[in-house]
Amino acid sequence: MAKETIQSIKGTKDILPDQSHGWQALKVIIRSTMNNYGYKEIRTPAFERTELFSRGVGEETDIVSKEMYSWTDQGGEKLTLKPDLTAPVVRAFIQHNFREQSPINKLYYIDTLFRRERPQKGRYRQFHQFGIEAFGSENPEIDAEVIAVALAVLNNLGLEGLTLKLNSIGSPECRSLYRKTIRSYLKPYLNDLSGISQRRFEKNPLRILDTKIPHEIEILNDIPNVSDSWTPEDKAHFEELKSLLDAMDIQYSLAPRLVRGLDYYTRTTFEITSSALGAQDALCGGGRYDGLVKTLGGKATPGIGFAAGMERILLAMGNFDSNINNTQLYIVGLGDTVRPVVVKLAEDLRQNNIRTNFDSLRRSLKAQMREANKAGARYAILIGDQELESGEAELKDLSTGDQEKIALDKLVDHINSLSF
Ligand code: AMP
């Protein structure tokens, strides 16, 4: 009896060869955009101490309370596959004394995350994000830059139908005032709230505003906005950010309910959504976290960043032109004696940056020509015993059907001079 085949794990995906060119193109655009804005790449390990995330993301979040892939290793250490990329970058920022080396540190990453969520379109258990973290400035010009970087990558990818949603959740003083406002507003409805919202009511009422439950959204309809609790400095920061975005011709819509419920998040929060996606329409989420470096044991340092979901960006982009990696030239070899000539020629062409392929299945002329066309090659070189004897190969332009004889020792130079 045949053995059962092993399947990939629910919520994980293979990126197959006909999809990987989209990923490659996305990474090229991310990197070149980051260079334009002066962000440098940082790569952190795939797993960290569990404590980094319980402190750096927050015990009360869905991510930490129910979505982490955690285990205790053979040495008794509690470890977790990273479910968030900001906390590891902040850990590295502190560990390597970045703050002492420069007053401003602008970092970017392209990385893999793991969260045990309920899989659906645009929501996976292993997925990818790119993002940035800018440390050192509390001024709104860096908020404007961070937002501009996110939009620049998405615009450079040709994405349309983007909406930038913008809010400020104020300073810690503002939020403690707003927490009181939320509690007194929700008190009469306490029994109508879900268990999780009741728990948040005590521990972190701001997070109730993130609810996706329809009747809770209704209850929240008339809740005062966080802007009512802003300090004059919070208001001035937000007003200046808006005027900087106006100066940069960046459009936004105000989203008074867009909050980040964790204590170290401060002031600016933003999200970018795409009209090309369905229920999971958020491409990117970001915000200021002036308290996070201190929470994780470093010296208080302001910071702001965003993370964007790469699977969702690719979904929003639809199909990529898949010709970029195609074979350019196919060598059709016939007969046993030509084999050393074919492999050597292929090697020379590849070293000259011509994307070359040949047949290793020793198939017929017809089958090899079919393969050359299927691979998308522009040219084929035909070599058999006769060509070997005469010292000339046939070069065929597969787009026009034109064919010419070229001396074997001139082939590489000749092909180098062709346009593909
Ligand atoms: P977050 O780290 O939760 O703020 O999410 C930032 C972005 O990552 C979102 O806007 C999504 O584009 C993407 N994202 C978050 N969770 C998932 C997931 N489970 N699967 C795929 N993409 C995700």
Side-chain angles (χ1 to χ4, degrees):
M1 204 175 82
K3 282 201 179 122
E4 222 177 276
T5 55
I6 298 172
Q7 306 284 312
S8 61
I9 291 163
K10 202 173 155 196
T12 69
K13 288 217 297 194
D14 297 311
I15 296 170
L16 300 174
D18 66 346
Q19 299 155 344
S20 53
H21 54 268
W23 284 85
Q24 290 165 8
L26 176 54
K27 287 183 187 177
V28 167
I29 287 182
I30 293 168
R31 291 187 196 290
S32 69
T33 309
M34 294 302 168
N35 288 341
N36 289 345
Y37 285 83
Y39 285 73
K40 302 244 163 70
E41 188 179 12
I42 182 160
R43 300 188 187 200
T44 58
F47 59 100
E48 299 267 2
R49 282 182 219 288
T50 302
E51 189 196 349
L52 174 66
F53 303 110
S54 40
R55 269 165 68 187
V57 181
E59 298 274 11
E60 260 308 290
T61 57
D62 287 350
I63 293 177
V64 172
S65 62
K66 46 185 196 202
E67 294 172 357
M68 295 205 296
Y69 285 97
S70 301
W71 73 102
T72 306
D73 82 351
Q74 292 83 342
E77 286 205 90
K78 289 195 166 64
L79 304 172
T80 295
L81 287 178
K82 52 187 172 186
D84 163 85
L85 300 170
T86 300
V89 172
V90 172
R91 190 229 1 100
F93 171 85
I94 299 168
Q95 183 173 337
H96 302 288
N97 299 318
F98 277 25
R99 190 179 192 276
E100 282 65 44
Q101 293 161 40
S102 165
I104 290 284
N105 284 278
K106 305 205 299 186
L107 307 169
Y108 83 91
Y109 55 77
I110 301 176
D111 213 337
T112 308
L113 288 82
F114 306 85
R115 291 181 194 168
R116 202 177 186 290
E117 299 198 76
R118 203 166 52 78
Q120 55 180 290
K121 195 167 186 200
R123 189 166 280 290
Y124 313 103
R125 291 181 169 176
Q126 175 175 342
F127 62 101
H128 300 77
Q129 288 182 343
F130 73 91
I132 68 180
E133 315 293 350
F135 296 99
S137 172
E138 56 183 8
N139 296 321
E141 46 271 42
I142 197 77
D143 303 44
E145 180 181 282
V146 165
I147 291 170
V149 174
L151 284 169
V153 174
L154 301 174
N155 288 328
N156 288 342
L157 288 164
L159 283 173
E160 288 168 11
L162 302 176
T163 304
L164 166 63
K165 297 179 178 165
L166 190 66
N167 193 22
S168 167
I169 55 166
S171 51
E173 305 85 80
C174 153
R175 275 198 323 285
S176 82
L177 194 66
Y178 191 48
R179 268 194 287 271
K180 283 188 197 136
T181 307
I182 298 176
R183 285 203 185 100
S184 59
Y185 175 89
L186 283 179
K187 202 152 198 170
Y189 304 101
L190 205 52
N191 289 333
D192 303 327
L193 298 181
S194 62
I196 184 146
S197 290
Q198 288 183 7
R199 219 177 62 226
R200 286 175 174 165
F201 182 87
E202 291 305 332
K203 290 198 170 170
N204 195 346
L206 268 162
R207 293 222 60 224
I208 302 177
L209 271 59
D210 286 338
T211 183
K212 301 278 180 292
I213 304 172
H215 86 266
E216 291 191 344
I217 294 175
E218 219 168 281
I219 292 174
L220 290 168
N221 252 342
D222 294 323
I223 199 165
N225 287 333
V226 63
S227 54
D228 296 346
S229 307
W230 285 346
T231 63
E233 294 77 19
D234 293 335
K235 186 170 166 40
H237 187 278
F238 195 60
E239 292 302 326
E240 191 173 357
L241 170 60
K242 285 195 299 179
S243 70
L244 294 171
L245 292 173
D246 291 340
M248 294 161 91
D249 293 324
I250 291 178
Q251 277 152 24
Y252 48 82
S253 68
L254 298 179
R257 296 286 158 76
L258 185 63
V259 296
R260 297 239 158 196
L262 306 180
D263 281 347
Y264 40 74
Y265 282 109
T266 47
R267 294 191 171 152
T268 311
T269 56
F270 67 96
E271 194 173 83
I272 300 171
T273 56
S274 160
S275 59
L277 296 176
Q280 305 296 327
D281 66 348
L283 292 179
C284 166
R288 185 167 265 292
Y289 46 80
D290 290 347
L292 182 55
V293 177
K294 192 152 181 237
T295 301
L296 288 176
K299 282 197 198 123
T301 311
I304 175 164
F306 72 77
M310 293 168 69
E311 279 78 2
R312 291 204 198 154
I313 289 172
L314 287 163
L315 274 175
M317 290 179 63
N319 287 332
F320 248 99
D321 175 10
S322 64
N323 290 330
I324 36 178
N325 297 331
N326 275 359
T327 294
Q328 293 173 301
L329 185 145
Y330 198 92
I331 306 175
V332 176
L334 287 169
D336 295 339
T337 46
V338 301
R339 219 163 286 137
V341 179
V342 169
V343 294
K344 174 73 168 95
L345 183 59
E347 191 62 14
D348 290 345
L349 290 168
R350 289 163 172 170
Q351 300 215 347
N352 277 272
N353 296 321
I354 310 286
R355 300 195 294 272
T356 306
N357 245 318
F358 62 84
D359 178 58
S360 60
L361 294 174
R362 305 183 179 183
R363 285 179 286 189
S364 67
L365 170 67
K366 210 168 135 199
Q368 289 191 50
M369 287 305 290
R370 206 183 303 128
E371 190 63 37
N373 282 307
K374 197 173 145 201
R378 170 74 196 270
Y379 295 98
I381 294 173
L382 290 84
I383 312 177
D385 292 339
Q386 247 179 359
E387 284 73 22
L388 211 56
E389 225 162 84
S390 68
E392 285 182 327
E394 294 281 352
L395 176 68
K396 185 167 183 171
D397 183 331
L398 295 174
S399 62
T400 61
D402 293 347
Q403 203 160 314
E404 56 179 329
K405 285 190 180 347
I406 311 285
L408 279 173
D409 57 1
K410 301 263 169 4
L411 251 182
V412 174
D413 284 345
H414 182 78
I415 287 163
N416 257 331
S417 70
L418 296 174
S419 60
F420 282 89

